[in-house]
Amino acid sequence: TAFTAVRVDGTVVTWGDDAGGADSSEVQRDLFAVKQVVASFYAFAAVRKDGCVVTWGDAAAGGDSSTVQDQLHEVRQVTASSYAFAAVRQDGTVVTWGDAACG
């Protein structure tokens, strides 16, 4: 089990089981001006105020968004299933990543 919280200044703190996504050290430098954080079972996705998305955690649960990272800008909102994420962009398009069987 892992947890995350957005501080008043828009930075993010994580804790709990590293296998559950608690270890955000590799992306911590990108976790600023965060307005939303969403969790799958073992990964997290953060939406920044500039519309960029930062992900971390188990790659199989959506923690690795590198295949769609070039599309994760101008994002309004992110939602999650058990092992996948979906981002709605300003133009209404939807970008998904994670386990295709779960989203």
Side-chain angles (χ1 to χ4, degrees), residues 2-103:
F3 303 91
T4 185
V6 179
R7 294 181 175 139
V8 173
D9 66 0
T11 59
V12 173
V13 60
T14 58
W15 68 96
D17 183 7
D18 288 351
D23 182 6
S24 61
S25 60
E26 289 188 26
V27 296
Q28 194 63 48
R29 71 186 174 285
D30 298 320
L31 292 173
F32 59 89
V34 171
K35 66 177 186 175
Q36 178 193 23
V37 176
V38 179
S40 69
F41 280 177
Y42 302 107
F44 292 93
V47 181
R48 295 192 324 214
K49 291 179 182 176
D50 65 3
C52 292
V53 175
V54 180
T55 61
W56 68 95
D58 186 337
D64 179 5
S65 59
S66 60
T67 60
V68 296
Q69 195 63 47
D70 63 330
Q71 300 172 62
L72 293 176
H73 56 88
E74 298 180 1
V75 171
R76 285 191 313 211
Q77 182 180 1
V78 171
T79 190
S81 69
S82 53
Y83 290 92
F85 292 92
V88 179
R89 296 180 54 198
Q90 294 293 343
D91 64 4
T93 58
V94 176
V95 180
T96 60
W97 68 97
D99 186 338
C102 296

